[in-house]
Amino acid sequence: MSPQTPATQRPLTIALAEAAAMAGHAPSVHNTQPWRWRVLPDALELRTASQRRLAATDPEGRLLALSCGAALHHARVALRAEGWTSVVQRNPDPADPELLARLTDLRRGAADPPAMRLVQCMQVRHTDRRPVSADPVPADQLTEIVQAASGEGARLQLLDRDQVLELAATASHAGTVEADDPQLREELAYWTSRTSGAGLPPEVLPDQAPQTTVPGRDFGRPGTLPVGPGHDRAAAYALLFGDEDEPESWLRAGEALSAAWLAATRLGVSVVPLSGVVEVPGTRQILRQLLAGLGYPYLVLRLGLADPAHAGPPHTPRLAVEQTVDTSAVRDAQR
Ligand SMILES: Cc1cc2nc3c(=O)[nH]c(=O)nc-3n(C[C@H](O)[C@H](O)[C@H](O)COP(=O)(O)O)c2cc1C
């Protein structure tokens, strides 16, 4: 197929393979990229890459499903941008829990310009762990980000001042619990010392703990990302939550995370997920109380305006497409 072939005339299998490759830009816990796509003649399957799961940090697979949900949303938007609509089956086979989703019933329509804009956002979105600027995010932008999440079946609650202070104490406690656990320390050390397209390189980690209201993750070693003297006092904090604490709701929460983060990127708002408080069962329970029975917490997000005076961190590397997208079932058809 010539690269000049218009997107709207490309065969379905090419569109599916390209959407799966685009989904590689999605955020994932410790940049584990715990997904494996399989392109079929008329469907796209998303599976867990269990060799990249965090057995100690995430034994239930909550953060794995959130990460894969973000990738699923990326793939759906990439298909929509090119005019493909699809039906999503989540966790379609109870006997095969590693099969997280299947996109089927693909039909071609008109290209979708708002989705095309979000595809551009996928390519620039990144995690910037430095303090944010002293200007708060405008209220209407926060509302847009919250609405983007709720369109995907999870909710984002902005925390008030008292709740943020409680979150700060809870995150600090979670950090102490995690730092005291040798298995968690070992797992973190592994994912902060890889050089093969997954994990967190020193360039994206702060060279000293940034001044933040809610403590960010202590990665156990300083990185090389310069952190200025600023404080993120103007940042907003939000809790992503939903009605159930089950694998399918975690997957949907990941889709909501992607929708919210891409909306934020379009608006120039920086997002940093904080998952330590969710990883430790005791602090996850405190977050649940913070929600006053409204639902189950999935992830904390810091939202702020990135400091415009300094360049942000470089992009975190990604695995080669062949390691995350399996096209063997359609390879002959694509030749
Ligand atoms: C479920 C989930 C949990 C995350 N938890 C944290 C966290 O606790 N602290 C942090 O600094 N980044 C966290 N991240 C951000 C990832 O480290 C980041 O997405 C990944 O390294 C890829 O980098 P990028 O977002 O710049 O593309 C999390 C991301 C996801 C999807």
Side-chain angles (χ1 to χ4, degrees):
M1 185 65 40
S2 141
Q4 273 79 46
T5 306
T8 47
Q9 289 172 27
R10 274 187 233 144
L12 173 59
T13 53
I14 300 273
L16 294 175
E18 286 182 355
M22 186 55 71
H25 289 287
S28 59
V29 62
H30 295 359
N31 196 29
T32 46
Q33 301 158 68
W35 47 72
R36 179 92 181 134
W37 295 95
R38 186 147 184 260
V39 181
L40 298 170
D42 56 357
L44 181 62
E45 285 185 350
L46 170 61
R47 307 190 75 90
T48 303
S50 29
Q51 71 278 22
R52 291 193 295 279
R53 72 181 317 149
L54 300 175
T57 311
D58 183 33
E60 294 172 291
R62 183 180 280 99
L63 302 176
L64 176 143
L66 275 157
S67 304
C68 289
L72 175 59
H73 180 261
H74 272 48
R76 285 171 44 212
V77 172
L79 283 169
R80 214 166 62 219
E82 299 231 339
W84 291 99
T85 60
S86 58
V87 171
V88 187
Q89 301 169 340
R90 293 173 184 81
N91 303 99
D93 183 356
D96 185 2
E98 299 216 330
L99 177 58
L100 298 177
R102 189 183 285 131
L103 297 169
T104 60
D105 286 328
L106 284 127
R107 286 171 214 276
R108 201 192 318 243
D112 180 333
M116 287 159 96
R117 178 82 184 90
L118 292 182
V119 168
Q120 290 169 346
C121 292
M122 289 173 197
Q123 295 163 74
V124 293
R125 185 213 56 78
H126 65 283
T127 308
D128 184 349
R129 300 178 177 85
R130 298 171 306 153
V132 290
S133 99
D135 297 321
V137 181
D140 58 334
Q141 296 192 353
L142 288 173
T143 305
E144 237 181 277
I145 295 166
V146 166
Q147 283 170 349
S150 59
E152 292 295 333
R155 280 166 285 162
L156 196 56
Q157 160 128 345
L158 292 165
L159 302 181
D160 65 28
R161 208 186 135 62
D162 287 348
Q163 289 172 320
V164 171
L165 293 178
E166 195 172 339
L167 170 66
T170 311
S172 166
H173 180 56
T176 307
V177 171
E178 296 206 311
D180 281 348
D181 185 322
Q183 277 182 310
L184 296 187
R185 281 206 310 269
E186 197 184 315
E187 200 164 65
L188 188 59
Y190 175 79
W191 288 99
T192 51
S193 59
R194 287 174 52 116
T195 51
S196 60
L200 295 154
E203 298 81 37
V204 301
L205 300 180
D207 62 359
Q208 55 178 300
Q211 299 193 69
T212 56
T213 309
V214 177
R217 187 187 289 280
D218 175 358
F219 286 93
R221 62 180 72 192
T224 57
L225 177 67
V227 168
H231 191 292
D232 78 346
R233 232 167 255 117
Y237 285 88
L239 198 46
L240 185 67
F241 73 100
D243 294 336
E244 299 193 27
D245 208 16
E246 301 293 333
E248 187 177 329
S249 42
W250 303 334
L251 193 69
R252 283 186 184 274
E255 294 173 81
L257 168 68
S258 166
W261 204 337
L262 293 178
T265 304
R266 181 171 49 75
L267 296 165
V269 175
S270 155
V271 176
V272 178
L274 301 173
S275 53
V277 267
V278 178
E279 289 154 19
V280 176
T283 54
R284 190 167 69 242
Q285 189 55 33
I286 297 176
L287 284 191
R288 192 150 183 232
Q289 287 157 13
L290 204 73
L291 283 168
L294 283 178
Y296 293 89
Y298 304 137
L299 198 60
V300 170
L301 301 183
R302 183 191 78 170
L303 304 161
L305 297 180
D307 179 354
H310 299 94
H315 280 275
T316 313
R318 290 296 190 270
L319 294 163
V321 170
E322 305 76 61
Q323 289 176 266
T324 55
V325 183
D326 174 6
T327 53
S328 56
V330 296
R331 207 162 282 151
D332 290 342
Q334 289 184 356
R335 283 215 176 99

